[in-house]
Amino acid sequence: MMIVALNNKCNLTKKEFREYQIKLQEVKTTSKLILCPSFLYLDQFNLTNIKLGAQNVSTTDCGAYTGEVSAKQLKEENVDYCIVGHSERREYQQEKNEEINEKIKRLFSYQITPILCVGEKRSEREEGLEKQVVLKELTMATKDLTEEEKGKVIIAYEPIWSIGTGLIPTAEQIIEIIHTIKEMFPQNKVLYGGSANEENIDTLKEISEIDGYLLGGLSLKPEKLQIFLEKLEK
Ligand code: 13P
């Protein structure tokens, strides 16, 4: 089954989220949909056709950590998945692979499945470093996990130069990276993320190596998301 994860990022007011949720309820799909809204709306989530995810988690458990949200708290909100290591957090919050590793361990201790984002910058691809970057991120983020835990991590390949830019890698570029990932992580689901939309899905869906998608911009447009899913599942 294809996995389609919706990363709302820092979008939607409370009123907009209510309307959005009503529209999402109408979406028809045979894929597994995972909605990752703002923390603020986790407890408003009431859809039965979609799984719930978070966009981030603390490296710490509950305690004196102002502004943090722990894996335990997420679990109580019925969160089953959590994005970690998104490139926006790596860039704007200077998140490091070591912290991402801590977060993944916290998630597993509360049976929450991590969706681990990896991907190279434009300059790294220009220098031919993309495989090296992705493998380093994966190795460091999964350090000291059990083999069973390692196999459960959902990996999202999101080339940074592709996020929100309308640019997508060629099929050969995506296949090359996914093969590299699967050599090291043969059991894992690998999603593609970065400007995936209802138009380029016709091309992307031909890539049999892709186990699903992590959608940013398109996640906020239920009508276009429906077209995307119909094309993907045709
Ligand atoms: P876009 O789909 O808007 O390019 O964002 C991708 C992304 O960052 C999902 O996590």
Side-chain angles (χ1 to χ4, degrees):
M1 187 195 268
M2 278 276 164
I3 298 171
V4 178
L6 309 175
N7 178 7
N8 286 170
K9 306 192 180 184
C10 182
N11 287 297
L12 305 175
T13 61
K14 191 181 266 190
K15 181 168 173 282
E16 286 167 347
F17 182 76
R18 252 183 240 130
E19 292 160 4
Y20 170 72
Q21 198 167 221
I22 292 167
K23 286 189 186 157
L24 267 193
Q25 194 161 21
E26 302 301 314
V27 169
K28 305 254 177 307
T29 182
T30 55
S31 301
K32 178 190 274 189
L33 285 191
I34 304 170
L35 175 66
C36 305
S38 156
F39 282 142
L40 289 173
Y41 310 138
L42 290 175
D43 77 340
Q44 301 205 14
F45 177 79
N46 60 12
L47 302 182
T48 49
N49 55 337
I50 299 182
K51 294 281 180 191
L52 187 58
Q55 296 176 19
N56 185 31
V57 66
S58 178
T59 54
T60 66
D61 216 333
C62 292
Y65 305 105
T66 303
E68 293 295 319
V69 177
S70 71
K72 184 178 181 182
Q73 291 172 317
L74 293 180
K75 194 64 198 177
E76 282 191 12
E77 293 296 337
N78 300 313
V79 164
D80 289 322
Y81 298 86
C82 183
I83 296 171
V84 282
H86 195 281
S87 60
E88 288 151 12
R89 295 202 58 84
R90 292 179 192 260
E91 183 179 354
Y92 306 130
Q93 275 75 34
Q94 288 79 45
E95 231 174 67
K96 298 279 175 284
N97 289 312
E98 291 81 358
E99 278 170 74
I100 294 163
N101 177 242
E102 281 301 312
K103 292 182 179 198
I104 291 178
K105 289 178 190 164
R106 293 279 170 203
L107 292 172
F108 274 127
S109 58
Y110 290 94
Q111 294 82 47
I112 298 172
T113 302
I115 302 175
L116 168 62
C117 301
V118 295
E120 79 285 357
K121 298 187 185 112
R122 185 192 306 271
S123 59
E124 290 165 335
R125 180 162 281 277
E126 281 166 1
E127 289 177 59
L129 296 174
E130 61 278 4
K131 286 191 204 164
Q132 218 172 299
V133 168
V134 165
L135 287 182
K136 183 178 174 196
E137 287 177 339
L138 286 173
T139 311
M140 291 185 73
T142 57
K143 190 167 173 276
D144 301 329
L145 297 186
T146 63
E147 283 309 306
E148 195 191 343
E149 286 170 342
K150 253 184 211 173
K152 284 186 187 161
V153 174
I154 298 174
I155 299 168
Y157 171 53
E158 296 208 309
I160 297 171
W161 50 276
S162 182
I163 296 176
T165 58
L167 298 171
I168 57 166
T170 62
E172 290 71 27
Q173 288 172 328
I174 296 177
I175 291 168
E176 197 180 19
I177 294 284
I178 298 186
H179 282 174
T180 306
I181 295 172
K182 293 221 173 180
E183 268 171 37
M184 227 176 116
F185 295 84
Q187 307 169 39
N188 296 61
K189 296 279 183 203
V190 181
L191 314 184
Y192 169 76
S195 295
N197 62 32
E198 78 290 0
E199 283 167 16
N200 56 32
I201 188 59
D202 291 320
T203 316
L204 288 168
K205 71 179 255 199
E206 299 302 324
I207 306 173
S208 61
E209 284 81 355
I210 298 179
D211 299 314
Y213 295 87
L214 180 54
L215 304 175
L218 196 73
S219 81
L220 300 166
K221 301 175 188 139
E223 291 86 2
K224 288 189 174 167
L225 173 67
Q226 180 70 70
I227 299 171
F228 175 94
L229 292 167
E230 278 163 17
K231 289 185 174 179
L232 172 66
E233 292 160 11
K234 202 157 62 179

